[in-house]
Amino acid sequence: MPIGICYTLVVKILLVQPPIEDYYNTSVRTYPLALLYLGAAVRESADVELLDLRTNKKPRPIPNGSFPDLKRYYRDDVYTPLSFFKRYYRFGADTTEIKNAVEAKRPDLVAISSLFTTYSMEALDVARCCKEVSADITTVIGGIHPTLFPEHALNSPYVDYVIRGEGETPFSRLITALKSGKGTGIDHIKDIGGVC
């Protein structure tokens, strides 16, 4: 390396909106606004891309849903006020599609949105898929669920860091610390928890 030239580590960040599993979907749940804020906060210091694993995917019914004990209440031949909840769907990519997308993008870090506790398992499943693609991918989860229950996310062997509260500032600081090559000072960044 020539003297006087400083080379910095280029970090490729993938911001992921995970799929959800539910009886229905609404447009308010499909707009990844928080991820767009994160991307804007770090776009000057990293290569950032949004991966929406939920929108523009045909919903797929999940046989017996996650609640097989309720099957007798949700029958095709019976119409009740609960008939709206007859089918349980996966809205978004399946695990094979997730792994293929992550492998194609080749990120150094994946930040996963986990807005609702109801969908926290889907977010953790994305983290698992990322680590199965490459154990070297750093995984970060943020949103309302990890803000309220950080230990739930950090108990997963697939999650490296949790960001609590408003994420732009702590996420930017985390990226800066990771780019230093040593993770210097991560323990002292407000609103970040980690297992690394």
Side-chain angles (χ1 to χ4, degrees):
M1 169 176 12
I3 296 174
I5 297 177
C6 179
Y7 291 95
T8 55
L9 173 67
V10 176
V11 176
K12 183 165 185 182
I13 299 172
L14 192 59
L15 305 172
V16 177
Q17 174 170 252
I20 63 169
E21 293 180 358
D22 205 335
Y23 289 100
Y24 64 95
N25 197 15
T26 60
S27 61
V28 74
R29 291 191 242 174
T30 61
Y31 194 73
L33 185 60
L35 292 173
L36 295 173
Y37 282 132
L38 285 183
V42 298
R43 72 176 178 231
E44 298 299 322
S45 61
D47 178 14
V48 184
E49 188 174 349
L50 176 69
L51 178 60
D52 186 346
L53 295 172
R54 185 180 316 156
T55 310
N56 297 325
K57 301 280 185 193
K58 186 175 179 182
R60 291 173 251 199
I62 299 172
N64 296 328
S66 292
F67 313 102
D69 49 329
L70 298 178
K71 185 177 178 180
R72 64 187 170 123
Y73 298 106
Y74 302 123
R75 297 191 336 238
D76 287 334
D77 60 337
V78 175
Y79 295 95
T80 71
L82 300 176
S83 293
F84 181 67
F85 300 101
K86 279 185 182 178
R87 298 274 188 280
Y88 200 71
Y89 296 95
R90 180 169 182 100
F91 296 94
D94 62 26
T95 55
T96 301
E97 293 170 314
I98 294 168
K99 288 179 185 179
N100 290 341
V102 171
E103 194 166 16
K105 303 292 183 187
R106 301 175 57 102
D108 300 307
L109 183 142
V110 175
I112 305 161
S113 175
S114 182
L115 291 181
F116 306 103
T117 298
T118 307
Y119 310 125
S120 61
M121 298 312 291
E122 289 88 331
L124 293 174
D125 194 45
V126 170
R128 178 188 61 78
C129 289
C130 291
K131 290 293 190 181
E132 288 178 1
V133 168
S134 172
D136 294 332
I137 295 174
T138 301
T139 54
V140 180
I141 290 189
I144 296 169
H145 177 73
T147 294
L148 297 174
F149 307 105
E151 65 284 345
H152 179 254
L154 288 172
N155 282 335
S156 168
Y158 310 111
V159 174
D160 296 315
Y161 298 100
V162 164
I163 294 188
R164 300 177 69 193
E166 296 295 325
E168 296 87 351
T169 299
F171 188 64
S172 295
R173 290 179 179 159
L174 175 65
I175 298 307
T176 300
L178 292 172
K179 281 181 75 171
S180 73
K182 298 178 183 176
T184 309
I186 290 175
D187 295 338
H188 303 293
I189 300 174
K190 186 179 185 309
D191 295 325
I192 293 183
V195 293
C196 284

